[in-house]
Amino acid sequence: KNEVEQSPQNLTAQEGEFITINCSYSVGISALHWLQQHPGGGIVSLFMLSSGKKKHGRLIATINIQEKHSSLHITASHPRDSAVYICAVQNSGAGSYQLTFGKGTKLSVIP
Amino acid sequence: NAGVTQTPKFRILKIGQSMTLQCTQDMNHNYMYWYRQDPGMGLKLIYYSVGAGITDKGEVPNGYNVSRSTTEDFPLRLELAAPSQTSVYFCASSYSGEADSPLHFGNGTRLTVT
């Protein structure tokens, strides 16, 4: 069973700061998801990646398959980025659609 | 497209009562999932379906049942509610189970069993 660890658990940043959230997993995967959970509870998929790097607006996600590690970066953070960011891994092989989720990183961006 | 729609948003049940959480999607997705989210824990898979007529257990299926009679609908049934089922429930869907198919989530159902 894959173990997914996120760090930090909580993060407070000043508006404009560069933010990094980390995710490590224990067993090889087919893909990794980054999700955003808004204060109201809804969950939105930000990225799916299996190698390299993806960018969308101020968000950048990277993955190092050899190191079993992924990072989510937010440039020029804004209070509207305040949310819980969740990493989830999609295992390889049979049952690969069953994701293993991290516990989330709660980000608060202060004006 | 409405995406994934869950109802109700909130519900309070007494111990032993039954209820059905509704989930419907209009994206013609084959794969549908039910997760529960407990405070301080990662989401856990309850049941999933890879197509109409096909369902299977996830990590925490005890106390729940599902059915998938159509591509669109994937209801979750609680037969005898217990306090341990107090949680936030999310329905999700994806086009396939492959690594290039992102998940789409509903807005969640907050269930309290007292």
Side-chain angles (χ1 to χ4, degrees):
Chain A
K1 186 180 187 309
N2 222 328
E3 301 291 333
V4 179
E5 296 288 336
Q6 286 186 237
S7 62
Q9 288 186 338
N10 293 282
L11 181 56
T12 300
Q14 291 287 334
E15 183 173 356
E17 283 186 9
F18 180 86
I19 287 162
T20 296
I21 299 169
N22 296 298
C23 176
S24 297
Y25 52 93
S26 58
V27 179
I29 61 172
S30 61
L32 183 142
H33 301 246
W34 280 104
L35 310 168
Q36 180 191 54
Q37 185 167 23
H38 298 289
I43 299 175
V44 174
S45 178
L46 297 175
F47 294 104
M48 267 184 76
L49 63 167
S50 54
S51 65
K53 175 179 172 178
K54 287 191 176 180
K55 184 176 189 290
H56 185 243
R58 294 180 295 105
L59 301 178
I60 303 166
T62 64
I63 188 168
N64 185 320
I65 297 294
Q66 287 73 30
E67 297 290 324
K68 296 186 178 62
H69 181 269
S70 175
S71 293
L72 176 68
H73 306 287
I74 305 175
T75 61
S77 59
H78 190 275
R80 65 174 174 266
D81 297 325
S82 298
V84 176
Y85 292 84
I86 300 170
C87 169
V89 299
Q90 193 158 359
N91 298 314
S92 300
S96 63
Y97 36 80
Q98 297 197 45
L99 302 184
T100 303
F101 292 80
K103 295 180 181 179
T105 294
K106 184 175 181 181
L107 171 65
S108 300
V109 181
I110 300 168
Chain B
N1 288 348
V4 179
T5 303
Q6 281 184 244
T7 56
K9 286 186 169 54
F10 303 94
R11 185 72 187 267
I12 299 174
L13 282 182
K14 293 191 186 306
I15 294 171
Q17 286 185 322
S18 301
M19 77 163 295
T20 299
L21 282 67
Q22 301 291 346
C23 176
T24 188
Q25 52 89 12
D26 62 359
M27 297 172 282
N28 201 33
H29 284 173
N30 292 315
Y31 286 66
M32 295 187 75
Y33 316 83
W34 274 106
Y35 295 97
R36 59 177 287 171
Q37 185 180 40
D38 299 313
M41 305 295 291
L43 281 84
K44 302 261 188 234
L45 182 65
I46 304 171
Y47 269 94
Y48 66 94
S49 169
V50 301
I54 306 169
T55 62
D56 207 348
K57 296 176 181 178
E59 189 179 353
V60 289
N62 291 346
Y64 308 94
N65 275 300
V66 293
S67 59
R68 183 95 183 271
S69 56
T70 67
T71 299
E72 294 78 19
D73 300 307
F74 190 42
L76 178 71
R77 177 87 178 156
L78 283 72
E79 289 294 348
L80 291 170
S84 60
Q85 294 176 305
T86 294
S87 188
V88 181
Y89 292 84
F90 287 95
C91 179
S93 72
S94 62
Y95 178 71
S96 76
E98 298 301 320
D100 60 352
S101 185
L103 283 171
H104 298 258
F105 285 85
N107 287 329
T109 296
R110 186 174 295 274
L111 175 67
T112 302
V113 182
T114 61

